[in-house]
Amino acid sequence: MAVRFDVITLFPELFAPFQTVGVTRRAFESRAVDMRLWPLRDHAEGVYRRVDDRPFGGGPGMVMLVEPLVRCMRAIRADQSAGGAPRLPVILFSPAGKPLTQQRVQQLAEGPGAVLLCGRYEGIDQRFIDAHVDEEVSMGDYVLSGGELPALTLMDAVARLQPGVLHDAASHEQDSFSDGLLDCPHYSRPEVLSVPAQGDEPGVEAAVPDVLLSGHHAKIARWRREQQLAITARRRPELIDAARARGELSKKDEDFLSQLTL
Ligand code: 4FV
């Protein structure tokens, strides 16, 4: 199923790279991801076509106004209906949202899609959020100037999971988080690296782990799994607990973890 994203934004020009660069270009060209941009300014009225105003109660910054957003939503809903698309949920990007996870990305990748609401300024009038927003999603505990980069991030993560977008379909199955763990290290040519130090820059004198050159696929798979477990246990132990709770750790995994020095 194609995944449709209706993107409400004050800066549609920020979305050009998604359509022309990297693997997401393929997702866009194949219509695996159907992105429709809705410039909010088109739905502003009056001489100044205002989309924001000063906050009641005073304080710095501006707040995005309800009425242009309502008019924009009505246009989106009419377009969804006319195109036979379902009424898609509205996602607002905000530091107050639920952190985005690969599990949520995988759900979105199965379609049918969402309306992506890109805020600017201090944020959006709460009355619009209360009436129209189904889900708030955060990219992390920091503050951006707008929701456009979160929208691009989410669409990128969804697009790369679409059939035919990655050269090797198995690639995303080995991603970090695809099995709830962080990814293992990766190596490529040359087998033995000898890059001399230069000035303050250190050299790199290192070989590729022998097991990766062994051609023994079962041993390679085991080594990679143990690398994932070690990296995850040391950097994000809560992900180990979550995988255990889901019953996704084998006895071999548990035996390895029990002897691992953190
Ligand atoms: C954000 C984040 C974020 C806050 C005000 C947009 C900005 C402005 N979105 N994860 N962190 N949003 O900082 O998702 O409207």
Side-chain angles (χ1 to χ4, degrees):
M1 169 190 287
V3 185
R4 171 170 167 159
F5 289 115
D6 290 290
V7 183
I8 302 175
T9 177
L10 281 169
F11 299 103
E13 61 271 28
L14 281 175
F15 291 84
F18 179 73
Q19 305 169 31
T20 59
V21 172
V23 295
T24 50
R25 173 175 54 82
R26 278 204 289 273
F28 187 78
E29 287 170 345
S30 69
R31 307 289 287 180
V33 172
D34 174 12
M35 176 180 72
R36 302 179 188 216
L37 298 175
W38 298 86
L40 183 59
R41 190 87 51 192
D42 293 354
H43 300 276
E45 293 180 349
V47 172
Y48 301 104
R49 300 178 71 194
R50 291 197 74 115
V51 292
D52 65 314
D53 208 332
R54 294 185 305 284
F56 283 128
M62 304 292 272
V63 174
M64 291 179 77
L65 299 173
V66 174
E67 289 164 312
L69 285 165
V70 167
R71 286 192 286 269
C72 185
M73 276 305 304
R74 285 178 180 153
I76 290 172
R77 295 306 191 198
D79 189 69
Q80 288 173 349
S81 176
R87 182 184 176 82
L88 299 174
V90 178
I91 294 176
L92 169 65
F93 296 104
S94 161
K98 184 177 178 186
L100 183 65
T101 63
Q102 189 67 14
Q103 184 181 22
R104 183 68 184 107
V105 166
Q106 285 166 342
Q107 289 169 350
L108 287 164
E110 291 165 11
V115 177
L116 304 182
L117 176 48
C118 302
R120 280 275 160 171
Y121 316 118
E122 292 306 306
I124 290 168
D125 189 304
Q126 189 61 39
R127 290 168 292 182
F128 181 85
I129 297 174
D130 294 341
H132 288 273
V133 171
D134 299 295
E135 180 181 353
E136 292 190 43
V137 168
S138 172
M139 291 296 153
D141 295 337
Y142 44 82
V143 182
L144 299 166
S145 58
E148 283 79 12
L149 290 179
L152 280 164
T153 300
L154 183 147
M155 289 193 289
D156 180 280
V158 167
R160 63 186 297 281
L161 296 182
Q162 297 305 309
V165 171
L166 295 181
H167 284 306
D168 183 342
S171 175
H172 62 69
E173 289 162 13
Q174 296 171 6
D175 283 342
S176 280
F177 298 101
S178 60
D179 55 4
L181 302 178
L182 300 181
D183 202 1
C184 62
H186 299 283
Y187 300 84
S188 187
R189 289 185 292 276
E191 286 181 24
V192 179
L193 203 56
S194 178
V195 177
Q198 186 172 6
D200 295 340
E201 285 303 307
V204 182
E205 302 285 340
V208 172
D210 289 338
V211 65
L212 296 180
L213 306 174
S214 69
H216 195 300
H217 297 298
K219 284 184 179 178
I220 291 169
R222 190 66 217 154
W223 179 86
R224 285 174 168 162
R225 176 72 176 180
E226 290 179 355
Q227 291 292 312
Q228 279 188 274
L229 291 165
I231 290 168
T232 306
R234 289 168 178 149
R235 298 183 187 181
R236 296 287 300 278
E238 76 279 11
L239 296 179
I240 294 286
D241 298 337
R244 182 175 290 121
R246 293 193 299 269
E248 293 173 0
L249 298 184
S250 68
K251 182 176 183 316
K252 266 189 177 182
D253 294 341
E254 295 290 4
D255 291 347
F256 172 77
L257 288 167
S258 64
Q259 54 75 48
L260 180 68
T261 54
L262 294 180

